Amino acid sequence: MRSYQSHLQHASAANAAVARKPTFRSSAIFPVFHLKGVRTRIAFLGYWMVKRSIPEIHSVVTLRSIHGTPLYRRSERITEAKAYRVEAEDLLAWAGMNPEAEFTGSLEIEFYSSRDLVYPYPAVVVQYYGPEFGTIVHTAQRVFNDAEDRNANLESVVPEAGFNIYADDDREPFFAFVNGCDPVRDGRIAMKFYNSKRETLECLIPVSQLLPYETTIVHPDRHVDLQGFLGGKPGTAQIQFDVAWVFPRIIAGNVQRSRQGISVTHTYYDTSSHSGDEHYWKDAPEGWQPASLFVPLSLSGDRYTNINFYPIYSPSELEIDLELYEKDGTLIGIERNVHRIAPIHRGLHTLELKPLAEKFGADAERAAGANLVARTVRGSRLPTRLKIGLDYGMGTHALPCNICKTMDVNNPALENKRSSFHWAPVLADQQDAVVWVVNSAPLNPYERNAPVTLTFYREEDTATLTRELELPPNGVHEIRLSEHPELLEFFGGRMGWYTCVSTNPHAKSYYLSESASGIVGGDHDF
């Protein structure tokens, strides 16, 4: 793990004695699940042409077996700003394998350029999908570029955590990771689980050998009685595992047998044992909140929105306030101290936003937003990393998405930033898709409008559609694809992309899909 301050210094080397090393390779590696009712694809936008004016990128895609053996490789020259998609099913067929047979392995995509790519993490998503569901998450693991890259990102090794698990007769948790280019001997997978009673349960799995690029899938309920431990309620987990030459952020999620579907997210740092100065942010200056996060609400019908807090924060005492806003930024109500973060509160805490919205009389059929505000108490310090899990769900039986999102700490320097550029997929391949654009910041009060240009891209060609928006402070704009015939026709039932460009640095977006089974997939933008 690289500290947050170290990350900021890497991103801007204005005061560095040694210039930042250019990045000419960025990559991502994902587990592949080709099973009954489950398929795998990766997708990306040719954003380099739009964001960085790089005229040409070369991609290399490698499909490997579960044991890390290369099965198929291809390269492609990318010169157009449009949507791109790679289907694991196609790669299996081109490798001469039976695409109807079940397969588990990995898919790596590498991007090369003669110009600086800036970040070694590319903006790629993996989508696991089937006839009744779709779930998606952005790049988690990548194989390091060189020793300097590896050493910088492994300043300290911490457990991975920050996700929900379910274990009952219908649902089963899992996590999956891919090893890097070196073997691992005498390794282990150490797991610690938390239930709703703040009890813990531990499990250790020895791993005698892990081959280069080997894929590991762990179903912890097959090693320890999670069903009995969780008692039918959601829980969370902390994972430590040994890998080599690969960034250790991994994919975690849950299987739902009755829906023949899965829901995935990515893990996040557990910094609960780290209390050095580098793990805390500066005090909020006058006119700023310590930290905040604005999220769109999905509440109509049987839809719900939940916020999950995990036992992963650097030691601190914080109180969380909740502000509810209509889509035009009008304040609906404020609920103080809806949650308290403290080192003694070890476990998963879920904040259900639908009952709070009903308490304040919010119209569930209209777009709205919730602003979480973190306040330090009793002289405590503000952790740099305040990660929450954002659940959007439908009904009480289908799996929700579990978006990994961090709160925005106060950063007055952002006010000098002239614009923002975000992008994300439009999940037009699913039964319905939603894109939300929000405008908020940890300023108190926040009073800045956000003019936004949305540009939509598709896979078929380089044609685009454009929409102009003006978001008020603490405003939210919702685009539900089923209510926009022009966009439906434009995407033609395939996944597309959008860019969100604003002269306001605080404009951001989220996206999700709703499937026939009720399983929801979604994530935040890049």
Side-chain angles (χ1 to χ4, degrees):
M1 178 189 70
R2 168 182 277 170
S3 70
Y4 188 60
Q5 280 86 351
S6 176
H7 166 74
L8 294 178
Q9 290 169 7
H10 174 79
S12 177
N15 298 318
V18 178
R20 184 188 63 83
K21 185 177 182 179
T23 298
F24 301 116
R25 172 188 178 268
S26 66
S27 69
I29 192 164
F30 302 97
V32 170
F33 305 128
H34 189 80
L35 310 170
K36 182 180 179 181
V38 180
R39 295 291 185 265
T40 301
R41 65 165 63 109
I42 61 173
F44 57 93
L45 173 69
Y47 64 93
W48 305 273
M49 291 84 221
V50 181
K51 182 175 173 61
R52 304 203 179 278
S53 300
I54 299 176
E56 179 177 293
I57 297 285
H58 282 265
S59 70
V60 178
V61 171
T62 304
L63 178 71
R64 295 183 177 94
S65 72
I66 194 170
H67 300 298
T69 304
L71 302 175
Y72 182 81
R73 179 175 287 133
R74 76 169 193 187
S75 61
E76 182 180 5
R77 181 170 167 261
I78 299 168
T79 60
E80 296 177 326
K82 68 182 192 72
Y84 293 85
R85 173 173 53 98
V86 179
E87 296 281 351
E89 190 168 21
D90 293 339
L91 301 181
L92 288 167
W94 296 334
M97 303 179 68
N98 179 7
E100 299 303 317
E102 291 194 348
F103 172 87
T104 302
S106 67
L107 180 56
E108 183 178 28
I109 186 163
E110 303 165 273
F111 298 99
Y112 294 90
S113 172
S114 60
R115 297 191 185 183
D116 188 3
L117 297 170
V118 182
Y119 295 108
Y121 259 115
V124 179
V125 296
V126 62
Q127 185 186 39
Y128 302 107
Y129 67 98
E132 299 294 322
F133 84 99
T135 184
I136 196 164
V137 69
H138 62 75
T139 303
Q141 284 192 282
R142 67 178 180 88
V143 177
F144 294 126
N145 287 345
D146 51 36
E148 184 176 332
D149 180 22
R150 179 188 61 178
N151 295 341
N153 283 280
L154 297 179
E155 286 180 356
S156 60
V157 178
V158 298
E160 290 292 307
F163 56 94
N164 290 14
I165 58 173
Y166 306 86
D168 51 37
D169 292 339
D170 187 33
R171 299 172 296 182
E172 180 181 19
F174 74 94
F175 58 89
F177 59 87
V178 185
N179 189 31
C181 54
D182 276 357
V184 175
R185 293 179 176 85
D186 299 321
R188 76 349 178 184
I189 300 171
M191 298 171 284
K192 186 175 185 178
F193 304 98
Y194 298 82
N195 64 15
S196 60
K197 301 175 183 178
R198 296 180 182 170
E199 298 170 333
T200 60
L201 177 67
E202 298 187 19
C203 178
L204 179 67
I205 303 174
V207 180
S208 59
Q209 179 174 260
L210 200 59
L211 299 172
Y213 297 104
E214 182 174 349
T215 301
T216 300
I217 298 99
V218 178
H219 296 86
D221 196 36
R222 302 176 191 181
H223 299 271
V224 66
D225 182 18
L226 272 184
Q227 290 194 36
F229 177 70
L230 294 180
K233 296 182 178 180
T236 189
Q238 176 198 86
I239 309 168
Q240 292 178 289
F241 51 93
D242 296 309
V243 287
W245 272 96
V246 67
F247 193 80
R249 179 150 298 156
I250 63 174
I251 285 178
N254 296 273
V255 177
Q256 187 161 23
R257 299 181 186 90
S258 64
R259 317 268 167 156
Q260 284 197 332
I262 63 176
S263 176
V264 299
T265 186
H266 68 78
T267 59
Y268 196 72
Y269 305 120
D270 181 341
T271 61
S272 58
S273 62
H274 289 252
S275 56
D277 290 344
E278 68 274 16
H279 294 286
Y280 295 91
W281 194 246
K282 54 198 172 187
D283 292 338
E286 185 177 353
W288 287 79
Q289 305 279 14
S292 69
L293 178 66
F294 192 96
V295 300
L297 295 178
S298 177
L299 304 176
S300 63
D302 62 355
R303 297 178 177 90
Y304 63 87
T305 305
N306 293 341
I307 302 292
N308 300 286
F309 297 90
Y310 303 98
I312 63 174
Y313 313 116
S314 293
S316 183
E317 290 192 44
L318 306 171
E319 290 181 352
I320 306 295
D321 298 334
L322 180 74
E323 304 167 348
L324 293 177
Y325 291 92
E326 294 182 2
K327 67 178 182 179
D328 64 359
T330 301
L331 180 66
I332 300 173
I334 299 176
E335 187 80 1
R336 302 289 184 188
N337 198 16
V338 293
H339 178 58
R340 186 179 182 91
I341 295 174
I344 61 172
H345 297 164
R346 302 291 293 168
L348 171 69
H349 178 85
T350 299
L351 176 64
E352 298 179 355
L353 298 187
K354 190 164 189 171
L356 286 170
E358 292 171 348
K359 173 183 175 180
F360 286 105
D363 186 350
E365 301 302 316
R366 300 182 62 184
N371 192 37
L372 298 168
V373 178
R375 294 181 288 105
T376 55
V377 295
R378 302 205 306 182
S380 189
R381 294 183 294 174
L382 178 70
T384 56
R385 291 186 165 99
L386 288 171
K387 184 267 184 196
I388 58 96
L390 175 58
D391 289 357
Y392 292 108
M394 297 175 63
T396 58
H397 301 296
L399 287 169
C401 64
N402 185 216
I403 299 171
C404 175
K405 184 65 175 171
T406 56
M407 298 185 73
D408 298 321
V409 295
N410 67 90
N411 188 0
L414 278 179
E415 288 297 285
N416 299 322
K417 190 178 178 183
R418 296 181 179 179
S419 64
S420 61
F421 184 103
H422 296 275
W423 68 106
V426 181
L427 304 179
D429 60 304
Q430 295 295 304
Q431 182 180 25
D432 205 355
V434 179
V435 172
W436 284 299
V437 185
V438 301
N439 171 31
S440 189
L443 280 155
N444 184 28
Y446 180 60
E447 301 175 329
R448 188 171 175 180
N449 280 20
V452 172
T453 300
L454 291 174
T455 304
F456 297 94
Y457 300 81
R458 63 185 179 187
E459 182 182 323
E460 180 182 341
D461 52 34
T462 57
T464 60
L465 287 179
T466 302
R467 297 286 186 272
E468 301 287 342
L469 313 173
E470 181 83 20
L471 268 73
N474 298 309
V476 56
H477 183 82
E478 177 184 277
I479 298 176
R480 182 169 288 275
L481 209 60
S482 58
E483 300 172 359
H484 292 264
E486 186 181 14
L487 286 174
L488 283 171
E489 182 181 0
F490 178 74
F491 292 121
R494 292 181 176 181
M495 184 192 300
W497 287 77
Y498 67 90
T499 57
C500 174
V501 181
S502 177
T503 54
N504 183 328
H506 305 296
K508 301 179 182 68
S509 66
Y510 299 80
Y511 66 95
L512 61 77
S513 67
E514 298 175 344
S515 64
S517 67
I519 294 177
V520 176
D523 209 344
H524 59 81
D525 61 16
F526 292 103

